[in-house]
Amino acid sequence: MTRFSQTHLDRRSFIGSTLAAGGFLAAANALPKSAVAADNAPPLSKGAVILLQGDSITDAGRDRNGGANDANGLGRGYPYLLGGELLADYPQLQLKVYNRGISGHKVPDLADRWQQDTVDLKPAVLSILIGVNDIWHKLNGHYDGTVETYETGYRELLKRTLDAIPGVRIVVCEPFVLRCGAVNEKWFPEFDQRRAVAKKLADELKLTFVPFQAMFDKAVESAPPAYWAGDGVHPTLAGHALMTKTWREVVGI
């Protein structure tokens, strides 16, 4: 075996350690401050539960048997992207991120499963995106709910949650559609009325509101609607990534 002098070893070790240190510092400087400084963590207790609720947009093909922080259980959409970012940014908090969205669900469907899928999980942060099926199923003749029943049912669900989980932070996500695919003029103006209800309830109950429709309306200035949601309802990867970015900016975690 070739023998190296101690001087050569020391010099190589010094250069290697210097480069490694420089690379680490450069990488650390490029990271979000929350990823490298525990004192920048959000006001959440260790082990806090983050719960994403909704319909197929939230479901995103998740494994229904998946638990907290399970990649398959978080699906292939914004809950997966959001969960991954939060877990990477705040390892010291050991957060538990759940996805409990179910494809096809409307406000009444959420109410039917709320105890098991929400209340029993005792989330510190609960994010809800619901409303598109409440009109889509109506247009397809499979539901007869009105804007008024959407408002009444949604309000009852939110109040029930606030009463059942003291201190919970509820994030109301604005229902959205893009004008392509399955979305045509028959959706309007009723869909806009339902969007307005979500905003009204968030304001009324002093909840956080994430303006997804406004976000996508701005996004189509740089790329066509189908780039963000091929059928006008279900986001593409780009759409889910944009939702994740906006959610974090608004919610602040």
Side-chain angles (χ1 to χ4, degrees):
M1 178 176 13
T2 303
R3 297 175 64 86
F4 291 92
S5 69
Q6 185 63 44
T7 300
H8 184 84
L9 283 171
D10 289 346
R11 181 174 179 273
R12 187 175 67 179
S13 298
F14 173 76
I15 293 171
S17 61
T18 301
L19 289 173
F24 172 79
L25 290 173
N29 287 334
L31 289 172
K33 293 187 182 300
S34 57
V36 295
D39 58 358
N40 282 327
L44 293 170
S45 61
K46 189 173 183 178
V49 170
I50 312 293
L51 174 60
L52 293 307
Q53 271 286 10
D55 50 38
S56 58
I57 299 171
T58 302
D59 183 326
R62 71 179 176 90
D63 179 354
R64 303 287 171 83
N65 296 315
N69 306 342
D70 178 73
N72 293 325
L74 289 173
R76 299 186 298 273
Y78 76 94
Y80 174 83
L81 299 175
L82 179 60
E85 289 189 10
L86 292 176
L87 293 171
D89 282 357
Y90 308 120
Q92 70 277 12
L93 290 179
Q94 298 182 28
L95 300 172
K96 296 179 181 179
V97 184
Y98 289 91
N99 180 354
R100 286 294 183 267
I102 294 183
S103 180
H105 274 200
K106 305 175 293 297
V107 167
D109 300 304
L110 292 188
D112 288 343
R113 61 184 178 86
W114 208 241
Q115 182 66 41
Q116 176 181 350
D117 280 357
T118 299
V119 176
D120 289 351
L121 291 174
K122 297 180 172 60
V125 178
L126 167 63
S127 177
I128 309 172
L129 173 57
I130 198 72
V132 71
N133 287 318
D134 296 69
I135 183 171
W136 200 357
H137 289 190
K138 180 179 180 180
L139 293 172
N140 290 337
H142 302 305
Y143 182 60
D144 59 2
T146 65
V147 174
E148 289 71 24
T149 57
Y150 174 71
E151 179 174 347
T152 300
Y154 206 170
R155 180 182 288 105
E156 290 176 352
L157 191 69
L158 293 170
K159 286 185 174 181
R160 172 183 170 186
T161 308
L162 292 169
D163 289 341
I165 314 174
V168 64
R169 181 180 181 186
I170 299 179
V171 179
V172 174
C173 297
E174 182 181 29
F176 61 86
V177 294
L178 289 89
R179 293 174 185 263
C180 63
V183 180
N184 54 43
E185 291 307 314
K186 293 181 180 179
W187 288 65
F188 306 97
E190 185 171 332
F191 183 73
D192 290 333
Q193 293 167 355
R194 292 173 184 270
R195 288 197 302 109
V197 164
K199 179 65 165 65
K200 173 184 177 181
L201 293 176
D203 291 344
E204 176 185 313
L205 299 173
K206 296 179 173 57
L207 309 176
T208 302
F209 182 76
V210 181
F212 280 148
Q213 186 67 64
M215 175 198 75
F216 279 120
D217 288 346
K218 180 66 176 178
V220 298
E221 295 177 8
S222 57
Y227 179 83
W228 305 105
D231 64 358
V233 173
H234 299 95
T236 59
L237 178 58
H240 279 291
L242 189 59
M243 291 173 68
T244 301
K245 179 176 183 291
T246 301
W247 192 99
R248 293 200 69 184
E249 288 174 350
V250 172
V251 178
I253 61 174

